[in-house]
Amino acid sequence: MAILKILEYPDERLHTIAKAVPAVTDNTRTLIRDMAETMYTAPGIGLAATQVDVHQRIIVIDTSETHDQLLTFINPEIIANSGESEREEGCLSVPGIYGKVRRAEAVTVKALDSEGKEFVLDASGLLAVCIQHEMDHLMGKVFVEYWSDLKRSRVLTKLKKRQRNRM
Ligand code: NI
């Protein structure tokens, strides 16, 4: 297993649109294991392949308190959604920044698991938000891009300061 490097906003590569996985192979499973290890180590509750500069439609999520309920979604598709919710979100690609985004309260998602088997999952609350956030990454969208230009420019200033301090 390996810990992968997570791209940080405003890295242009985060705006890449991921391609569908044509076939789930051992290489796919190795990537998924590495993504999971990267997510747990960070630590975070979700990671999209886009964030580790692999532009394939794969996400991993674990919103459990025990960190042992890994969910893998390959080629995910939201087939139904309902309600509205606004929750504070964060992102491993935008360290130290948190803020609200309006999303559906519940989603039904269809995807393949790590064996290439199709499944359908009904999710609500935090899990539903997380699925939508990670699926946005696959479309090249980062959560701060829902915010106004003013709020986003404050985010960029804060991130630059943070990156400078790290050097
Ligand atoms: Ni994110």
Side-chain angles (χ1 to χ4, degrees), residues 35-68:
M35 283 174 62
E37 194 185 12
T38 304
M39 173 184 79
Y40 286 124
T41 304
I45 60 171
L47 189 72
T50 310
Q51 291 175 274
V52 293
D53 203 22
V54 176
H55 303 287
Q56 297 181 23
R57 293 186 59 80
I58 301 172
I59 64 183
V60 292
I61 291 178
D62 188 343
T63 55
S64 72
E65 273 171 30
T66 42
H67 309 295
D68 58 359

mmCIF file of all heavy atoms in Angstrom, residues 35-68:
data_model
loop_
_atom_site.group_PDB
_atom_site.id
_atom_site.type_symbol
_atom_site.label_atom_id
_atom_site.label_comp_id
_atom_site.label_asym_id
_atom_site.label_seq_id
_atom_site.Cartn_x
_atom_site.Cartn_y
_atom_site.Cartn_z
ATOM 1 N N MET A 35 -5.896 4.709 -2.170
ATOM 2 C CA MET A 35 -6.760 5.865 -1.887
ATOM 3 C C MET A 35 -7.322 5.768 -0.474
ATOM 4 O O MET A 35 -7.393 6.761 0.252
ATOM 5 C CB MET A 35 -7.921 5.935 -2.895
ATOM 6 C CG MET A 35 -7.523 6.477 -4.266
ATOM 7 S SD MET A 35 -8.885 6.366 -5.463
ATOM 8 C CE MET A 35 -10.117 7.433 -4.703
ATOM 9 N N ALA A 36 -7.732 4.557 -0.069
ATOM 10 C CA ALA A 36 -8.295 4.376 1.268
ATOM 11 C C ALA A 36 -7.227 4.672 2.318
ATOM 12 O O ALA A 36 -7.480 5.387 3.291
ATOM 13 C CB ALA A 36 -8.833 2.955 1.430
ATOM 14 N N GLU A 37 -6.029 4.161 2.113
ATOM 15 C CA GLU A 37 -4.970 4.403 3.091
ATOM 16 C C GLU A 37 -4.657 5.908 3.177
ATOM 17 O O GLU A 37 -4.450 6.453 4.262
ATOM 18 C CB GLU A 37 -3.703 3.618 2.720
ATOM 19 C CG GLU A 37 -2.725 3.588 3.883
ATOM 20 C CD GLU A 37 -1.392 2.935 3.566
ATOM 21 O OE1 GLU A 37 -1.097 2.691 2.383
ATOM 22 O OE2 GLU A 37 -0.645 2.681 4.520
ATOM 23 N N THR A 38 -4.642 6.567 2.023
ATOM 24 C CA THR A 38 -4.380 8.008 1.977
ATOM 25 C C THR A 38 -5.465 8.774 2.733
ATOM 26 O O THR A 38 -5.175 9.676 3.525
ATOM 27 C CB THR A 38 -4.320 8.480 0.502
ATOM 28 O OG1 THR A 38 -3.331 7.707 -0.189
ATOM 29 C CG2 THR A 38 -3.979 9.949 0.398
ATOM 30 N N MET A 39 -6.723 8.366 2.523
ATOM 31 C CA MET A 39 -7.851 9.024 3.197
ATOM 32 C C MET A 39 -7.786 8.819 4.715
ATOM 33 O O MET A 39 -7.915 9.773 5.472
ATOM 34 C CB MET A 39 -9.166 8.468 2.644
ATOM 35 C CG MET A 39 -10.392 8.967 3.394
ATOM 36 S SD MET A 39 -11.911 8.198 2.784
ATOM 37 C CE MET A 39 -11.849 6.599 3.598
ATOM 38 N N TYR A 40 -7.568 7.580 5.148
ATOM 39 C CA TYR A 40 -7.536 7.289 6.591
ATOM 40 C C TYR A 40 -6.360 7.979 7.274
ATOM 41 O O TYR A 40 -6.451 8.415 8.411
ATOM 42 C CB TYR A 40 -7.463 5.779 6.847
ATOM 43 C CG TYR A 40 -8.755 5.038 6.591
ATOM 44 C CD1 TYR A 40 -8.797 3.961 5.705
ATOM 45 C CD2 TYR A 40 -9.936 5.400 7.248
ATOM 46 C CE1 TYR A 40 -9.975 3.260 5.474
ATOM 47 C CE2 TYR A 40 -11.121 4.713 7.019
ATOM 48 C CZ TYR A 40 -11.141 3.639 6.133
ATOM 49 O OH TYR A 40 -12.304 2.962 5.912
ATOM 50 N N THR A 41 -5.239 8.077 6.559
ATOM 51 C CA THR A 41 -4.040 8.671 7.156
ATOM 52 C C THR A 41 -4.180 10.181 7.287
ATOM 53 O O THR A 41 -3.659 10.770 8.233
ATOM 54 C CB THR A 41 -2.795 8.324 6.300
ATOM 55 O OG1 THR A 41 -2.730 6.906 6.180
ATOM 56 C CG2 THR A 41 -1.518 8.833 6.940
ATOM 57 N N ALA A 42 -4.895 10.796 6.350
ATOM 58 C CA ALA A 42 -4.943 12.276 6.270
ATOM 59 C C ALA A 42 -5.295 12.981 7.598
ATOM 60 O O ALA A 42 -4.562 13.894 7.970
ATOM 61 C CB ALA A 42 -5.853 12.711 5.130
ATOM 62 N N PRO A 43 -6.340 12.700 8.382
ATOM 63 C CA PRO A 43 -7.432 11.788 8.075
ATOM 64 C C PRO A 43 -8.598 12.534 7.446
ATOM 65 O O PRO A 43 -8.805 13.708 7.695
ATOM 66 C CB PRO A 43 -7.826 11.295 9.476
ATOM 67 C CG PRO A 43 -7.586 12.484 10.376
ATOM 68 C CD PRO A 43 -6.470 13.284 9.737
ATOM 69 N N GLY A 44 -9.370 11.801 6.636
ATOM 70 C CA GLY A 44 -10.553 12.390 6.027
ATOM 71 C C GLY A 44 -11.651 11.353 5.926
ATOM 72 O O GLY A 44 -11.426 10.177 6.246
ATOM 73 N N ILE A 45 -12.835 11.775 5.474
ATOM 74 C CA ILE A 45 -13.976 10.843 5.372
ATOM 75 C C ILE A 45 -14.327 10.532 3.923
ATOM 76 O O ILE A 45 -15.209 9.726 3.664
ATOM 77 C CB ILE A 45 -15.222 11.359 6.132
ATOM 78 C CG1 ILE A 45 -15.699 12.711 5.591
ATOM 79 C CG2 ILE A 45 -14.930 11.450 7.623
ATOM 80 C CD1 ILE A 45 -17.054 13.153 6.158
ATOM 81 N N GLY A 46 -13.617 11.154 2.987
ATOM 82 C CA GLY A 46 -13.886 10.870 1.582
ATOM 83 C C GLY A 46 -12.722 11.310 0.721
ATOM 84 O O GLY A 46 -11.992 12.239 1.079
ATOM 85 N N LEU A 47 -12.534 10.608 -0.389
ATOM 86 C CA LEU A 47 -11.470 10.984 -1.320
ATOM 87 C C LEU A 47 -11.875 10.558 -2.723
ATOM 88 O O LEU A 47 -12.351 9.437 -2.933
ATOM 89 C CB LEU A 47 -10.151 10.299 -0.918
ATOM 90 C CG LEU A 47 -8.887 10.754 -1.656
ATOM 91 C CD1 LEU A 47 -8.459 12.162 -1.221
ATOM 92 C CD2 LEU A 47 -7.732 9.777 -1.416
ATOM 93 N N ALA A 48 -11.675 11.465 -3.667
ATOM 94 C CA ALA A 48 -11.945 11.149 -5.072
ATOM 95 C C ALA A 48 -10.603 10.948 -5.775
ATOM 96 O O ALA A 48 -9.604 11.578 -5.421
ATOM 97 C CB ALA A 48 -12.701 12.309 -5.719
ATOM 98 N N ALA A 49 -10.581 10.070 -6.777
ATOM 99 C CA ALA A 49 -9.331 9.785 -7.495
ATOM 100 C C ALA A 49 -8.717 11.068 -8.061
ATOM 101 O O ALA A 49 -7.495 11.224 -8.086
ATOM 102 C CB ALA A 49 -9.589 8.769 -8.605
ATOM 103 N N THR A 50 -9.579 11.999 -8.487
ATOM 104 C CA THR A 50 -9.127 13.299 -8.993
ATOM 105 C C THR A 50 -8.121 13.953 -8.038
ATOM 106 O O THR A 50 -7.144 14.557 -8.473
ATOM 107 C CB THR A 50 -10.350 14.240 -9.135
ATOM 108 O OG1 THR A 50 -11.365 13.558 -9.863
ATOM 109 C CG2 THR A 50 -9.991 15.549 -9.808
ATOM 110 N N GLN A 51 -8.384 13.810 -6.736
ATOM 111 C CA GLN A 51 -7.549 14.485 -5.735
ATOM 112 C C GLN A 51 -6.137 13.905 -5.646
ATOM 113 O O GLN A 51 -5.246 14.535 -5.097
ATOM 114 C CB GLN A 51 -8.210 14.399 -4.360
ATOM 115 C CG GLN A 51 -9.473 15.232 -4.267
ATOM 116 C CD GLN A 51 -10.146 15.022 -2.932
ATOM 117 O OE1 GLN A 51 -10.921 14.094 -2.763
ATOM 118 N NE2 GLN A 51 -9.844 15.868 -1.956
ATOM 119 N N VAL A 52 -5.960 12.671 -6.152
ATOM 120 C CA VAL A 52 -4.616 12.088 -6.176
ATOM 121 C C VAL A 52 -4.105 12.031 -7.622
ATOM 122 O O VAL A 52 -3.232 11.253 -7.958
ATOM 123 C CB VAL A 52 -4.556 10.709 -5.482
ATOM 124 C CG1 VAL A 52 -4.811 10.869 -3.984
ATOM 125 C CG2 VAL A 52 -5.553 9.724 -6.076
ATOM 126 N N ASP A 53 -4.695 12.901 -8.454
ATOM 127 C CA ASP A 53 -4.247 13.096 -9.831
ATOM 128 C C ASP A 53 -4.434 11.854 -10.709
ATOM 129 O O ASP A 53 -3.673 11.615 -11.640
ATOM 130 C CB ASP A 53 -2.775 13.560 -9.840
ATOM 131 C CG ASP A 53 -2.399 14.301 -11.124
ATOM 132 O OD1 ASP A 53 -3.318 14.819 -11.801
ATOM 133 O OD2 ASP A 53 -1.196 14.358 -11.450
ATOM 134 N N VAL A 54 -5.458 11.070 -10.383
ATOM 135 C CA VAL A 54 -5.835 9.939 -11.241
ATOM 136 C C VAL A 54 -7.246 10.271 -11.734
ATOM 137 O O VAL A 54 -8.162 10.417 -10.930
ATOM 138 C CB VAL A 54 -5.846 8.603 -10.470
ATOM 139 C CG1 VAL A 54 -6.340 7.473 -11.375
ATOM 140 C CG2 VAL A 54 -4.452 8.287 -9.931
ATOM 141 N N HIS A 55 -7.394 10.423 -13.055
ATOM 142 C CA HIS A 55 -8.653 10.976 -13.538
ATOM 143 C C HIS A 55 -9.601 9.894 -14.045
ATOM 144 O O HIS A 55 -9.939 9.808 -15.208
ATOM 145 C CB HIS A 55 -8.351 12.115 -14.513
ATOM 146 C CG HIS A 55 -7.517 13.137 -13.808
ATOM 147 N ND1 HIS A 55 -8.059 13.968 -12.844
ATOM 148 C CD2 HIS A 55 -6.179 13.383 -13.823
ATOM 149 C CE1 HIS A 55 -7.083 14.716 -12.324
ATOM 150 N NE2 HIS A 55 -5.944 14.369 -12.884
ATOM 151 N N GLN A 56 -10.002 9.052 -13.065
ATOM 152 C CA GLN A 56 -10.951 7.970 -13.278
ATOM 153 C C GLN A 56 -12.075 8.127 -12.264
ATOM 154 O O GLN A 56 -11.848 8.600 -11.146
ATOM 155 C CB GLN A 56 -10.273 6.617 -13.023
ATOM 156 C CG GLN A 56 -9.145 6.314 -13.967
ATOM 157 C CD GLN A 56 -8.535 4.945 -13.655
ATOM 158 O OE1 GLN A 56 -9.172 4.083 -13.068
ATOM 159 N NE2 GLN A 56 -7.299 4.771 -14.048
ATOM 160 N N ARG A 57 -13.286 7.668 -12.654
ATOM 161 C CA ARG A 57 -14.450 7.879 -11.777
ATOM 162 C C ARG A 57 -14.445 6.859 -10.624
ATOM 163 O O ARG A 57 -15.125 5.837 -10.673
ATOM 164 C CB ARG A 57 -15.746 7.816 -12.588
ATOM 165 C CG ARG A 57 -15.869 9.002 -13.569
ATOM 166 C CD ARG A 57 -17.207 9.029 -14.284
ATOM 167 N NE ARG A 57 -18.342 9.110 -13.396
ATOM 168 C CZ ARG A 57 -18.784 10.216 -12.817
ATOM 169 N NH1 ARG A 57 -18.173 11.365 -13.024
ATOM 170 N NH2 ARG A 57 -19.841 10.182 -12.024
ATOM 171 N N ILE A 58 -13.664 7.172 -9.598
ATOM 172 C CA ILE A 58 -13.568 6.317 -8.417
ATOM 173 C C ILE A 58 -13.580 7.207 -7.177
ATOM 174 O O ILE A 58 -12.852 8.199 -7.114
ATOM 175 C CB ILE A 58 -12.246 5.512 -8.407
ATOM 176 C CG1 ILE A 58 -12.129 4.638 -9.657
ATOM 177 C CG2 ILE A 58 -12.137 4.666 -7.134
ATOM 178 C CD1 ILE A 58 -10.772 3.952 -9.810
ATOM 179 N N ILE A 59 -14.421 6.844 -6.193
ATOM 180 C CA ILE A 59 -14.359 7.534 -4.907
ATOM 181 C C ILE A 59 -14.384 6.523 -3.760
ATOM 182 O O ILE A 59 -14.943 5.426 -3.892
ATOM 183 C CB ILE A 59 -15.497 8.589 -4.731
ATOM 184 C CG1 ILE A 59 -16.874 7.957 -4.706
ATOM 185 C CG2 ILE A 59 -15.458 9.626 -5.826
ATOM 186 C CD1 ILE A 59 -17.995 8.986 -4.603
ATOM 187 N N VAL A 60 -13.748 6.903 -2.658
ATOM 188 C CA VAL A 60 -13.829 6.105 -1.433
ATOM 189 C C VAL A 60 -14.374 7.015 -0.326
ATOM 190 O O VAL A 60 -14.081 8.213 -0.295
ATOM 191 C CB VAL A 60 -12.457 5.516 -1.012
ATOM 192 C CG1 VAL A 60 -11.990 4.464 -2.002
ATOM 193 C CG2 VAL A 60 -11.394 6.590 -0.834
ATOM 194 N N ILE A 61 -15.184 6.415 0.541
ATOM 195 C CA ILE A 61 -15.834 7.165 1.612
ATOM 196 C C ILE A 61 -15.905 6.280 2.848
ATOM 197 O O ILE A 61 -16.160 5.075 2.745
ATOM 198 C CB ILE A 61 -17.270 7.589 1.196
ATOM 199 C CG1 ILE A 61 -17.223 8.646 0.078
ATOM 200 C CG2 ILE A 61 -18.062 8.109 2.398
ATOM 201 C CD1 ILE A 61 -18.590 9.088 -0.424
ATOM 202 N N ASP A 62 -15.678 6.877 4.010
ATOM 203 C CA ASP A 62 -15.975 6.189 5.267
ATOM 204 C C ASP A 62 -16.417 7.240 6.276
ATOM 205 O O ASP A 62 -15.598 7.979 6.813
ATOM 206 C CB ASP A 62 -14.760 5.415 5.783
ATOM 207 C CG ASP A 62 -15.112 4.534 6.978
ATOM 208 O OD1 ASP A 62 -16.183 4.765 7.584
ATOM 209 O OD2 ASP A 62 -14.328 3.631 7.305
ATOM 210 N N THR A 63 -17.727 7.317 6.510
ATOM 211 C CA THR A 63 -18.249 8.316 7.446
ATOM 212 C C THR A 63 -18.502 7.697 8.825
ATOM 213 O O THR A 63 -19.056 8.350 9.695
ATOM 214 C CB THR A 63 -19.556 8.955 6.918
ATOM 215 O OG1 THR A 63 -20.494 7.906 6.645
ATOM 216 C CG2 THR A 63 -19.325 9.759 5.652
ATOM 217 N N SER A 64 -18.086 6.437 9.011
ATOM 218 C CA SER A 64 -18.343 5.785 10.306
ATOM 219 C C SER A 64 -17.412 6.348 11.387
ATOM 220 O O SER A 64 -16.323 6.832 11.082
ATOM 221 C CB SER A 64 -18.119 4.277 10.185
ATOM 222 O OG SER A 64 -16.739 3.989 10.069
ATOM 223 N N GLU A 65 -17.862 6.246 12.637
ATOM 224 C CA GLU A 65 -17.019 6.727 13.733
ATOM 225 C C GLU A 65 -15.875 5.760 13.998
ATOM 226 O O GLU A 65 -14.847 6.136 14.558
ATOM 227 C CB GLU A 65 -17.861 6.918 14.993
ATOM 228 C CG GLU A 65 -18.484 8.308 15.014
ATOM 229 C CD GLU A 65 -19.491 8.494 16.115
ATOM 230 O OE1 GLU A 65 -19.346 7.841 17.170
ATOM 231 O OE2 GLU A 65 -20.426 9.285 15.911
ATOM 232 N N THR A 66 -16.057 4.513 13.588
ATOM 233 C CA THR A 66 -15.045 3.493 13.861
ATOM 234 C C THR A 66 -14.023 3.357 12.717
ATOM 235 O O THR A 66 -13.063 2.612 12.834
ATOM 236 C CB THR A 66 -15.742 2.138 14.076
ATOM 237 O OG1 THR A 66 -16.793 2.017 13.085
ATOM 238 C CG2 THR A 66 -16.392 2.056 15.448
ATOM 239 N N HIS A 67 -14.252 4.109 11.627
ATOM 240 C CA HIS A 67 -13.330 4.103 10.481
ATOM 241 C C HIS A 67 -13.074 2.701 9.928
ATOM 242 O O HIS A 67 -11.957 2.359 9.555
ATOM 243 C CB HIS A 67 -11.982 4.759 10.855
ATOM 244 C CG HIS A 67 -12.146 6.100 11.497
ATOM 245 N ND1 HIS A 67 -12.677 7.180 10.832
ATOM 246 C CD2 HIS A 67 -11.880 6.527 12.751
ATOM 247 C CE1 HIS A 67 -12.726 8.218 11.653
ATOM 248 N NE2 HIS A 67 -12.253 7.847 12.819
ATOM 249 N N ASP A 68 -14.108 1.894 9.917
ATOM 250 C CA ASP A 68 -13.939 0.539 9.382
ATOM 251 C C ASP A 68 -15.090 0.164 8.440
ATOM 252 O O ASP A 68 -15.407 -1.001 8.265
ATOM 253 C CB ASP A 68 -13.821 -0.482 10.530
ATOM 254 C CG ASP A 68 -15.026 -0.459 11.459
ATOM 255 O OD1 ASP A 68 -15.954 0.361 11.223
ATOM 256 O OD2 ASP A 68 -15.052 -1.250 12.415
#
